[in-house]
Amino acid sequence: MISVKLDAEGWEVSAHSHTPMGQHIDISEADTWEFKAATLPFDAISWLHESGFGPDPVVGFNEHHYRWTEDVDWVLRKQFSLPRETFPADDELQVSFNHVDCYFDAYLNGHLIGSGRNEFREYVFDIDESLLLEENLLLLYLRSSRNVTTMMETAHGQLPAGFDTGRVHARRCQSRTGWDWTARLSSVALLTPPVLLQNLPLHLANPYVYFAHLPTVEPGQETVQNAQATVTVDLLSRRRATGDLVIRIRDTITGETLIEKAESVTIKPKPSVLRRILDLPEARLWWPLGMGEQPLYEVEITLTATDRLGASYELVQRATFGVRTATVDRTKDTIGESFVPTVNGIPIFCRGANWIPVSMLPAKANPEDYRTLLCAVVGAGMNCLRVWGGGIYETDDFYQLCDTLGVLVWQDFMFTTAAYPTYRDFLDEVEAEAVYQVTRLRNHPCLLLWCGNNENEWLHQTGDLKKGNEQKIIGETIWSHLIKQVVEEFDPSRIYHQSSPFSRNKTDYNDETAGDRHSWDGWSGWQHTDSFLLDRGRFITEFGLQAYPDIASIRQFAPGASDYEDLSLAHHQKMIEGQERIARYIAAHYKLPQDLAGWIETSQALQAEVLRRAVENWRRLRFSTAGVLIWQLHDAYPAISWSIIDYYRRPKQAWHASRHFFAPVLLSMELLIDGKPASAIPLEQWHEALADTESTFPLAGGSRMMCRRGQPPIQVRFNLINDTSLSLAGNLVVEFFRDTCDAVILDTVAVAVNPNGCASPLSHDINSVLMQDVTRMTVKATWQLDETSQQNLQALGEKIIKLQHQISPANAGSWQFDVEAGLSLKQPLVDPKYYSEPVCNTGKAEVVI
């Protein structure tokens, strides 16, 4: 097989008035159009800015300068030559296109060779009649998606959707037309060069290796005996042939061939799937971050054959894979139904975040962005990312890095918060997209599950996506049947989850007792942040709180902003009432800031504290709750948003805090009032407990409880959580401090925690004696590991840091993983709005939360 990728340099671009779909384009006039030089990756807005035709689109109000770019068509062309010996004269030739946004016609030497309408799939067109081999001109005519989808809405009717309604007809990044964390930056794009291909009569494609079952293993077990691998490959043949098939599996590090299987084959003139079973005598297991190693293997499939015309072929296909199983345990229990991810049969608590596109200007995304962000993911102790359904199916580099790092990926299909059409052309595109993406990604061991969409079923249920009173979800057959059947046919190794959130409770798809859950009562619902402490969702796929980005970042995108009411700064708040919500939640916990620096610092402190409380609460519930994914990891546009890393890759306080609350080994404390969860105690309640015979104490969620003086209404409980494959033991040391910074109670208890286990070794009542003349009380606790445990944990940390340096040497230090970040805490019990001075420092090294 010969393939030739066209050069990314030497392209030309021209803007053109819109030509509606179906109308003839007179390409013969192209030489009269004005063309400018361009390179790939290309998107129109980035090209205009980088070529000096417009200002930085993400600064101030500059996005408006580029609105015209989505109302015109764009033409890309490239001249290229090929030596005659490049392809044998009798070969049938094709050209493939990928990452084209979105409606395009392709012309070669003036002849229309094909058309496309989907950013998320590959198109392959025959070019035998058009290719001149020596001097050729390839021209892509990219139509305005805005104008095309307006026509589609006229033809098929408008459907209810969040943000832009026309987007539902276009198979392209759904958030590119604007979202509550990004501006509308929508034009056209060609990100990768087209590839010229041989179209041989005999062809291998899509190698796939999976493990339906593995023997029972322990957490972190390195190897497994007699792992049975199923190997498949697509065989496409237009002629009868005979030959020899050889399958080899190699270790990617040593290059050693572990197993080889050879056999003779007879090939019929039709598409088929070759399926073989190979037994690996001893295989190294792939594990998520912190639970073990991430070894990878390579399968090489070679077919040497001769067809009935005497033509000979030697075809080779390779793919990288890991030895592991992955599923989700959904067992009925006393609460409802569990939702516990398992890898190699071991339950895994997923700690992580939602992943959106690296940039809303696709040509600006580069490999270093991916390495930087994934270095930060590992530095925070995360082991899972959700590729959100309003973005893109990510690059090969992204999934390969996740394989290397042990970061699990929850993979949405690209549908979000909308009713979607079901006319035949649209469904055909969806099916082709699903087949392409499933076969492209299924070998990656990082991929945990496939999910049909983001929030479509849930928002139909709430009424947001209904046209009238219809009971059936518009477009529901796409996710309940079409995509589901594609996944079941092409990737039997993973589960398919219809939507997120989604439970089997048809009266509440966002149910707390089953399925996965989006926990937004504490932000979108304006409820107190302590509502997160009452949420008992089985897997939290989304939750979050907004904060301002760093002042240095604000200086870049809103350079004239001098206060928090600056209009250019407010323009980068894309959520309705976003600023009001930030003020509401700050007021609940802190004094309101008086200047921009104060809003930045206080909003970031609040975000960090709220995320900490919520994540630790859900981690303490393991595996009743089996995962928590923050919305969102990063920004794709400079905004006031939920991200913990801003657009310019500066971390917010919440990222630093996440190194504690997402640490694989975590010491956590919960505050209880009469056994019910609370976050902190307002100062006046401490005094009321001393002065009155009865006092009221607030509970999470806004309710209150009456307690009599002298009773011990407040209790602190300590939890040790071990999301690693290590056995850990040591002494838990707990100290209570009052205003004087003198320890009131010193308690030490020996405790051991099993691999992938947890313990609640110590509880303390806080009675009225401790409350006398107190304006602030602080708890400090440290889990002091014994020497063996400490050495083993340090070795784990060194392995993770080595992975960071491997993928991003330049950034590893900035985001360096700290394996001991979760071993200590220093936490006030009084609500932070009642004090402003820092907690007393005892002089010992500690993580302050």
Side-chain angles (χ1 to χ4, degrees):
M1 170 63 70
I2 300 174
S3 64
V4 177
K5 180 183 289 188
L6 297 188
D7 198 338
E9 304 291 332
W11 290 76
E12 294 180 305
V13 61
S14 177
H16 194 277
S17 58
H18 177 62
T19 302
M21 294 278 283
Q23 287 192 15
H24 173 69
I25 303 167
D26 191 353
I27 297 301
S28 65
E29 297 183 354
D31 286 340
T32 67
W33 303 343
E34 183 180 359
F35 281 88
K36 301 288 186 182
T39 59
L40 305 186
F42 167 90
D43 74 68
I45 296 176
S46 296
W47 174 79
L48 286 166
H49 171 227
E50 292 168 359
S51 301
F53 298 119
D56 189 334
V58 302
V59 172
F61 301 93
N62 289 347
E63 66 206 53
H64 297 307
H65 182 85
Y66 295 94
R67 285 293 169 85
W68 67 272
T69 64
E70 63 173 330
D71 291 322
V72 300
D73 298 343
W74 292 82
V75 183
L76 283 167
R77 73 179 184 182
K78 179 176 176 59
Q79 290 184 327
F80 65 95
S81 61
L82 290 172
R84 289 191 177 274
E85 61 271 17
T86 302
F87 294 104
D90 60 346
D91 279 351
E92 296 183 15
L93 302 180
Q94 297 176 323
V95 60
S96 72
F97 294 90
N98 223 323
H99 305 113
V100 187
D101 181 12
C102 146
Y103 299 95
F104 73 95
D105 296 323
Y107 295 83
L108 183 60
N109 298 323
H111 300 284
L112 178 65
I113 57 174
S115 300
R117 54 191 301 156
N118 190 334
E119 176 185 3
F120 301 134
R121 57 165 289 199
E122 181 183 44
Y123 290 91
V124 180
F125 306 135
D126 292 330
I127 58 174
D128 269 352
E129 302 300 322
S130 307
L131 189 67
L132 301 178
L133 287 182
E134 292 183 347
E135 294 295 333
N136 302 276
L137 180 65
L138 178 65
L139 185 147
L140 266 67
Y141 190 94
L142 295 109
R143 283 184 170 83
S144 156
S145 290
R146 182 184 182 122
N147 285 320
V148 172
T149 55
T150 298
M151 182 191 72
M152 295 291 187
E153 281 197 311
T154 301
H156 298 284
Q158 187 180 91
L159 293 172
F163 308 98
D164 181 83
T165 58
R167 66 178 171 84
V168 303
H169 296 275
R171 293 311 300 143
R172 63 195 296 254
C173 176
Q174 297 288 276
S175 53
R176 204 162 287 156
T177 53
W179 216 257
D180 54 11
W181 40 262
T182 184
R184 185 180 185 113
L185 295 167
S186 177
S187 57
V188 300
L190 174 62
L191 302 183
T192 56
V195 180
L196 302 176
L197 305 165
Q198 287 176 301
N199 181 20
L200 297 177
L202 196 61
H203 182 56
L204 292 178
N206 304 319
Y208 175 39
V209 181
Y210 70 95
F211 298 82
H213 306 284
L214 288 174
T216 302
V217 301
E218 298 296 324
Q221 183 173 314
E222 293 186 2
T223 61
V224 66
Q225 306 298 313
N226 301 318
Q228 192 174 79
T230 300
V231 181
T232 72
V233 66
D234 295 341
L235 175 60
L236 311 174
S237 178
R238 300 195 301 270
R239 300 174 188 163
R240 292 184 181 275
T242 58
D244 297 311
L245 179 73
V246 180
I247 301 175
R248 300 179 181 89
I249 292 179
R250 295 191 181 97
D251 188 305
T252 59
I253 297 177
T254 65
E256 177 188 0
T257 298
L258 304 180
I259 190 169
E260 178 176 314
K261 184 173 184 178
E263 62 180 273
S264 299
V265 292
T266 300
I267 301 165
K268 296 180 179 180
K270 63 178 182 179
S272 60
V273 177
L274 297 179
R275 187 183 308 273
R276 301 292 185 268
I277 305 296
L278 278 74
D279 288 320
L280 277 67
E282 184 175 56
R284 293 184 298 139
L285 290 170
W286 186 96
W287 290 97
L289 185 76
M291 285 297 293
E293 303 294 327
Q294 293 77 40
L296 297 173
Y297 293 92
E298 180 187 71
V299 64
E300 179 185 85
I301 304 171
T302 303
L303 177 62
T304 305
T306 302
D307 67 21
R308 64 181 180 180
L309 299 182
S312 298
Y313 307 89
E314 185 171 357
L315 308 174
V316 181
Q317 285 286 313
R318 298 181 180 89
T320 302
F321 66 95
V323 179
R324 69 104 180 91
T325 59
T327 188
V328 175
D329 180 8
R330 305 188 68 173
T331 303
K332 299 288 185 182
D333 56 25
T334 57
I335 301 172
E337 184 182 72
S338 66
F339 196 94
V340 182
T342 67
V343 175
N344 301 326
I346 302 299
I348 302 295
F349 191 99
C350 290
R351 317 177 306 271
N354 283 260
W355 178 278
I356 62 174
V358 166
S359 174
M360 294 316 295
L361 297 169
K364 288 188 178 293
N366 61 69
E368 192 55 36
D369 283 318
Y370 287 93
R371 293 178 180 277
T372 298
L373 288 171
L374 285 167
C375 195
V377 164
V378 173
M382 299 181 190
N383 66 358
C384 185
L385 293 171
R386 174 188 177 221
V387 177
W388 171 70
I392 62 172
Y393 303 95
E394 272 301 346
T395 66
D396 292 339
D397 282 348
F398 170 82
Y399 299 99
Q400 288 165 6
L401 289 169
C402 290
D403 289 342
T404 299
L405 296 170
V407 175
L408 295 169
V409 174
W410 171 305
Q411 180 66 56
D412 282 2
F413 286 91
M414 295 301 122
F415 302 87
T416 182
T417 55
Y420 281 84
T422 55
Y423 51 86
R424 175 47 52 194
D425 288 348
F426 185 83
L427 295 181
D428 286 345
E429 284 298 329
V430 169
E431 182 175 22
E433 167 190 325
V435 171
Y436 174 72
Q437 295 295 344
V438 170
T439 54
R440 179 174 79 95
L441 300 178
R442 61 189 179 181
N443 280 304
H444 290 284
C446 67
L447 202 66
L448 173 65
L449 60 79
W450 297 98
C451 179
N453 68 72
N454 173 69
E455 298 188 344
N456 293 348
E457 276 79 348
W458 176 40
L459 293 184
H460 174 89
Q461 196 169 62
T462 63
D464 294 318
L465 297 182
K466 289 186 177 182
K467 295 178 67 175
N469 294 320
E470 70 273 3
Q471 296 302 305
K472 185 174 177 58
I473 300 168
I474 303 172
E476 188 262 350
T477 186
I478 295 172
W479 312 294
S480 65
H481 291 84
L482 193 157
I483 293 178
K484 179 176 184 288
Q485 290 170 5
V486 168
V487 171
E488 290 174 347
E489 178 180 356
F490 291 93
D491 188 8
S493 71
R494 291 177 181 85
I495 74 156
Y496 172 77
H497 190 53
Q498 182 167 323
S499 181
S500 179
F502 193 77
S503 76
R504 290 173 178 156
N505 179 0
K506 300 304 182 184
T507 63
D508 183 6
Y509 286 127
N510 202 25
D511 189 7
E512 286 189 34
T513 68
D516 75 305
R517 174 167 166 77
H518 292 192
S519 184
W520 283 114
D521 294 341
W523 172 263
S524 298
W526 290 87
Q527 293 186 18
H528 194 279
T529 56
D530 283 355
S531 64
F532 292 129
L533 301 181
L534 300 179
D535 194 318
R536 294 296 184 264
R538 311 310 298 267
F539 191 107
I540 308 300
T541 331
E542 287 186 19
F543 92 104
L545 199 83
Q546 283 195 355
Y548 282 80
D550 189 273
I551 185 61
S553 297
I554 291 175
R555 293 285 178 259
Q556 289 183 255
F557 71 81
S562 58
D563 60 58
Y564 63 93
E565 294 181 324
D566 179 85
L567 292 180
S568 64
L569 177 59
H571 181 68
H572 287 252
Q573 168 62 267
K574 299 299 183 180
M575 184 182 185
I576 296 173
E577 298 179 330
Q579 302 297 74
E580 293 87 341
R581 292 170 201 264
I582 291 176
R584 177 261 186 271
Y585 288 113
I586 287 178
H589 296 278
Y590 298 92
K591 297 176 182 178
L592 281 176
Q594 300 303 307
D595 56 24
L596 179 57
W599 281 95
I600 295 169
E601 181 180 359
T602 309
S603 66
Q604 288 199 16
L606 176 64
Q607 182 192 41
E609 175 64 8
V610 170
L611 297 188
R612 181 194 67 78
R613 292 178 182 179
V615 169
E616 290 193 29
N617 168 64
W618 285 314
R619 289 191 69 181
R620 290 191 295 262
L621 295 173
R622 70 196 302 270
F623 284 99
S624 177
T625 299
V628 50
L629 306 180
I630 291 170
W631 182 270
Q632 65 215 63
L633 177 69
H634 61 280
D635 283 323
Y637 163 88
I640 303 165
S641 79
W642 299 265
S643 72
I644 63 173
I645 301 170
D646 72 29
Y647 177 75
Y648 300 99
R649 308 305 177 235
R650 295 185 177 100
K652 299 178 184 178
Q653 290 185 40
W655 180 84
H656 293 286
S658 71
R659 301 174 78 202
H660 172 87
F661 61 69
F662 274 147
V665 179
L666 175 67
L667 165 61
S668 177
M669 184 194 81
E670 58 184 321
L671 181 64
L672 303 171
I673 301 177
D674 196 30
K676 300 178 178 64
S679 56
I681 307 300
L683 186 61
E684 63 267 20
Q685 259 65 52
W686 290 85
H687 294 310
E688 286 179 9
L690 296 171
D692 304 332
T693 56
E694 291 185 343
S695 300
T696 56
F697 284 84
L699 300 177
S703 61
R704 303 179 74 83
M705 184 194 72
M706 186 72 68
C707 292
R708 293 187 177 277
R709 184 182 178 189
Q711 292 181 331
I714 304 173
Q715 185 183 65
V716 289
R717 179 186 299 156
F718 297 91
N719 301 270
L720 298 174
I721 299 164
N722 180 14
D723 285 349
T724 76
S725 57
L726 303 174
S727 294
L728 299 173
N731 291 324
L732 175 62
V733 180
V734 179
E735 300 169 271
F736 289 82
F737 295 88
R738 295 193 297 183
D739 296 335
T740 60
C741 293
D742 295 328
V744 177
I745 296 177
L746 175 63
D747 210 336
T748 302
V749 58
V751 59
V753 182
N754 292 327
N756 203 35
C758 61
S760 299
L762 189 63
S763 298
H764 263 293
D765 294 336
I766 302 178
N767 56 38
S768 59
V769 174
L770 296 180
M771 297 180 188
Q772 294 177 5
D773 301 321
V774 168
T775 57
R776 179 170 63 219
M777 177 169 281
T778 302
V779 176
K780 180 174 181 288
T782 306
W783 191 17
Q784 298 176 349
L785 297 177
D786 61 30
E787 185 175 355
T788 299
S789 297
Q790 191 171 11
Q791 290 174 350
N792 291 338
L793 191 61
Q794 286 290 347
L796 173 62
E798 289 169 4
K799 289 179 182 178
I800 294 174
I801 292 170
K802 184 178 180 180
L803 287 174
Q804 289 182 288
H805 283 271
Q806 177 181 334
I807 68 162
S808 187
N811 291 291
S814 302
W815 307 99
Q816 185 161 305
F817 176 73
D818 181 359
V819 74
E820 295 185 346
L823 292 181
S824 62
L825 62 85
K826 193 172 187 180
Q827 192 170 318
L829 300 184
V830 179
D831 195 290
K833 79 184 321 180
Y834 294 95
Y835 62 88
S836 57
E837 298 176 0
V839 175
C840 289
N841 193 329
T842 62
K844 299 178 181 179
E846 58 198 25
V847 176
V848 178
I849 299 298

